[in-house]
Amino acid sequence: MAGNLTLALRTAQSGLLAGQAALDVVANNIANVNTPGYSRKIVNFEQRVVVDTGSGVSLSEITRIVDEGLIKSLRQELSSFNEVDVARNYYERLQELFGKPGDNTSLSHIVASFSEAIEALALSPERSMEQKELVRRGNDLALELQGLTTSIQDLRLQADQAIETVIDRANVLMSTIEDMNNKIIRNEAVSHDVTDLKDKRDEALTELSTLIDISYFQRNSGDVVVFTSGGFVLVDSAARTLSHNSAAALSAVTTYEEGHIQGIFVGATVDANDMTASINGGKLKGLIDLRDQILTGLQAQIDEFGAELRDAFNQLHNRGAPQPGLTSATGTRTFVAPGGTGVPAAGDQTITLSGGDVTIALFNDSGDQTAVTTLNTIMQDLTLGTIAALPNGPWTIDEVAATIEDWIQANGGSASASVSVNSDGKFAIDLNTSNLNIAFRDETASANGSTASDVTIRFNADGDAGGVIDQTVSGFSNFFGLNDFFIDGREPTRYDSAIQSSSYSFSPTGAVVLTFKDGTTTDSITIAAGSNMSLQDIADAINDTSTGISFVTAAVITEGSGYRLRLTHDDSLPMVVVDDQGVGATDSLLASLNLEVSSARTAQNFQVRSDINNSPGEMTRGMMQWDASLGTAGAYYMSSGDSSITQALAELMTNNNAFDSAGGLSGRTVSFTDYTAAIVAFNSSNAGINESQWKSGKALSESLELKSDGQKGVNLDEEMSTLILYQQAFAASARVISTINSMFDALERAVT
């Protein structure tokens, strides 16, 4: 009987201990009812059997009430939501930056004001007030483009700095997960409760999922392995370290693809560990897209606007001259091999005239003609320049300069008058007198008074022996940039292709030679017939250390939904890029890519030419006019009341202009004002899409979180009910022990 009483006592004692443990779990649940991340715990009991005989109850384990599948779905949604959420603030700031088309501070309004100033000047071209107003509005436009660029690049820099901050936080969370993994393994090995450790690990996993898209699985030992959806391991037996050093400053030509911005590395900073391109969710994805896609796209759009306005406006402005002409002019085109004087040699850059001739005239201060000729005439004059050149060319740039200089000096110009290619590679004219002025007028023929019409300048940019024409430009003065209104200091150190699709390929029917030439070096590569090369293949061929171009780096830049091929001189020197096919050739790589000097940074450096800015009267309002009744055979003259150029400029601002695809905005033919409105609309549309995604993502994540919390959260009513149950069980076990104790007392009295 004593043995049975002892067994009963031990059995009742197990009930007390089990009840005590259960009450402790309930107490912990109640205490943490408002603790974020806490999951409700329950006690699992099992019957204790000793020698095939029931001997009470034992605590099997304490488990959490969680739905792992629901939590995994929640983390995936949190990753997507935070990708959108981090961009929301940036979109709001962009909305403020670009404004609405009707706002007085919007780009559209400033362009419209500039256009109105041109129209006012066209009515009164001689009035200094209207001249000053146009220059003022031009400066407003330039400052707006510069300000937008500064703000966009500041936002890109902030996004890059935010990436570094997110990386630092991710490292802390990964370290926490590693620590929890180790503790869970150790405690499970000795059957200790690990549910609170799992809660803390879950909190770290959930927060990590908001930063980056993660996947994970749990081993039998209880630890979890965390990796990105792109396959980079973040936590295994140990946490790996993420790193990213933000840039000190960013500009329109600072890109991740070209290596200007450091990647996001897992472990050692080697290319194989760069996971930037494989991040698919979380705040990191949102920030990367802002830095490398959204903001760069907007920058490309305003650069496209600035470049198109600059080129179209300058072409018209170069058709005329200020009244009564120019006393000096320095072009904006840079020549890397102007060729020297004399007969063109291999490697000399040359021009050829097509479709007319260029009238050159000198005027006195009253705008009356003092001398006149044509370029084709003097280039064939043995007494001018160093040779009697061929009609219409080809002529070296230096020979053109020397010939015009000799003609000026021989026709009343100062002996110190100079025309040359200066040390910066620019075509420069200086009459060195204030009493004489020069102007150019393109005409359909060499005879005086021929119809005004832009001649075509056929430019052999690399001076190849075959004389292949690499570029055609309308207008003699426009070709050199002698009388530009807008300038941007752009040098041909960087070339961009038009936006190409991911399926782009170049497969010429015959071999194509691609040549690069700067002031000192010429290098080339050959693209084989039928090679079927993608943009990346072309970039790789140029970058090949053994057979590529020694002074150029090529990169494929993502823009909008397509890609550009970018070629950059390693030492930032002016260069030309040509192929041996020439303009209009079927197999021309340059034509296939539509490769041109990059428009990047146009908006950043956009400005009114300094001398016009200082003296608005220096801008072009009209062009040299022909009057057959003047003198004995007619003459050209410059009139302060001529508004032919300003009228053309006014029409330019209201007429449609062809814009290329840029930054996700498709190519279109619209007015300049309408294009700026399209930029604003594009930005607003993307902001609206982001807001819609934010709202739906927020609703879904909150719904999933509510379901998860409802399942794993503590219900006080349920806990109180469980508390009463455990309390009664504890009391019953205590009553059994009290009864057995009384029986032991009775037995002891009976024995004694």
Side-chain angles (χ1 to χ4, degrees), residues 421-623:
V421 177
N422 65 20
S423 59
D424 294 327
K426 316 292 187 184
F427 195 90
I429 301 172
D430 191 348
L431 300 185
N432 275 314
T433 178
S434 60
N435 299 320
L436 202 63
N437 308 276
I438 191 170
F440 300 91
R441 169 170 146 150
D442 294 350
E443 296 181 339
T444 56
S446 298
N448 288 342
S450 298
T451 303
S453 178
D454 287 346
V455 299
T456 297
I457 304 298
R458 295 164 59 82
F459 185 40
N460 183 353
D462 64 335
D464 61 310
V468 174
I469 300 303
D470 303 302
Q471 184 185 16
T472 58
V473 179
S474 294
F476 176 80
S477 181
N478 182 52
F479 170 77
F480 290 101
L482 292 174
N483 191 22
D484 288 349
F485 182 87
F486 289 120
I487 60 172
D488 58 14
R490 181 183 61 154
E491 293 289 348
T493 61
R494 184 179 293 104
Y495 285 73
D496 283 347
S497 73
I499 295 176
Q500 307 293 340
S501 70
S502 58
S503 61
Y504 171 86
S505 65
F506 180 65
S507 185
T509 56
V512 174
V513 179
L514 185 63
T515 300
F516 298 77
K517 181 182 183 69
D518 63 15
T520 59
T521 307
T522 301
D523 205 351
S524 62
I525 60 170
T526 299
I527 298 176
S531 52
N532 198 31
M533 299 182 75
S534 67
L535 287 181
Q536 191 59 57
D537 292 335
I538 297 170
D540 291 342
I542 293 170
N543 293 333
D544 190 292
T545 55
S546 58
T547 60
I549 307 301
S550 59
F551 55 89
V552 171
T553 298
V556 177
I557 309 298
T558 305
E559 185 174 319
S561 58
Y563 306 88
R564 292 188 191 271
L565 177 67
R566 174 167 292 175
L567 312 175
T568 306
H569 195 291
D570 294 335
D571 296 320
S572 298
L573 296 177
M575 64 175 178
V576 293
V577 183
V578 300
D579 60 35
D580 61 348
Q581 303 300 299
V583 174
T586 303
D587 278 347
S588 172
L589 175 59
L590 270 62
S592 173
L593 292 171
N594 195 14
L595 189 75
E596 296 179 340
V597 176
S598 175
S599 294
R601 300 186 73 179
T602 295
Q604 179 178 335
N605 300 305
F606 194 88
Q607 58 185 299
V608 176
R609 204 176 75 205
S610 60
D611 61 320
I612 295 176
N613 192 43
N614 295 330
S615 301
E618 293 297 314
M619 72 165 293
T620 294
R621 281 99 67 197
M623 60 192 302

Side-chain angles (χ1 to χ4, degrees), residues 64 98 145 155 163 185 191 229 263 316 356 416 432 465 476 653 662 685:
R64 306 182 304 153
F98 280 89
L145 294 179
L155 288 174
I163 289 173
I185 292 173
S191 300
S229 62
L316 293 179
S416 60
N432 275 314
F476 176 80
M653 298 304 295
S685 175

Side-chain angles (χ1 to χ4, degrees), residues 592-709:
S592 173
L593 292 171
N594 195 14
L595 189 75
E596 296 179 340
V597 176
S598 175
S599 294
R601 300 186 73 179
T602 295
Q604 179 178 335
N605 300 305
F606 194 88
Q607 58 185 299
V608 176
R609 204 176 75 205
S610 60
D611 61 320
I612 295 176
N613 192 43
N614 295 330
S615 301
E618 293 297 314
M619 72 165 293
T620 294
R621 281 99 67 197
M623 60 192 302
M624 72 162 85
Q625 299 291 334
W626 169 257
D627 188 340
S629 65
L630 293 176
T632 58
Y636 292 95
Y637 66 96
M638 297 291 295
S639 171
S640 61
D642 180 16
S643 63
S644 56
I645 297 300
T646 49
Q647 288 176 356
L649 291 172
E651 292 174 1
L652 170 71
M653 298 304 295
T654 56
N655 290 342
N656 288 340
N657 183 80
F659 293 88
D660 296 328
S661 298
L665 190 61
S666 61
R668 59 197 61 206
T669 301
V670 295
S671 70
F672 287 100
T673 302
D674 287 344
Y675 187 76
T676 59
I679 295 176
V680 174
F682 181 85
N683 177 52
S684 297
S685 175
N686 284 344
I689 293 171
N690 179 265
E691 183 68 15
S692 177
Q693 292 175 335
W694 183 86
K695 288 179 179 178
S696 61
K698 181 177 176 63
L700 181 55
S701 59
E702 287 180 346
S703 175
L704 290 172
E705 191 169 17
L706 185 62
K707 288 181 180 179
S708 178
D709 289 346

Side-chain angles (χ1 to χ4, degrees), residues 342-424:
V343 177
D348 291 346
Q349 293 179 309
T350 63
I351 62 172
T352 304
L353 292 186
S354 176
D357 203 348
V358 183
T359 297
I360 308 172
L362 297 175
F363 300 92
N364 61 24
D365 288 345
S366 297
D368 299 326
Q369 172 192 307
T370 62
V372 66
T373 188
T374 71
L375 182 62
N376 200 24
T377 299
I378 62 175
M379 291 304 298
Q380 299 175 68
D381 190 335
L382 184 58
T383 66
L384 302 174
T386 61
I387 60 169
L390 294 173
N392 297 315
W395 310 318
T396 69
I397 311 304
D398 277 341
E399 183 63 27
V400 171
T403 301
I404 295 176
E405 177 181 282
D406 285 352
W407 178 81
I408 293 172
Q409 293 178 358
N411 286 273
S414 166
S416 60
S418 66
V419 183
S420 65
V421 177
N422 65 20
S423 59
D424 294 327

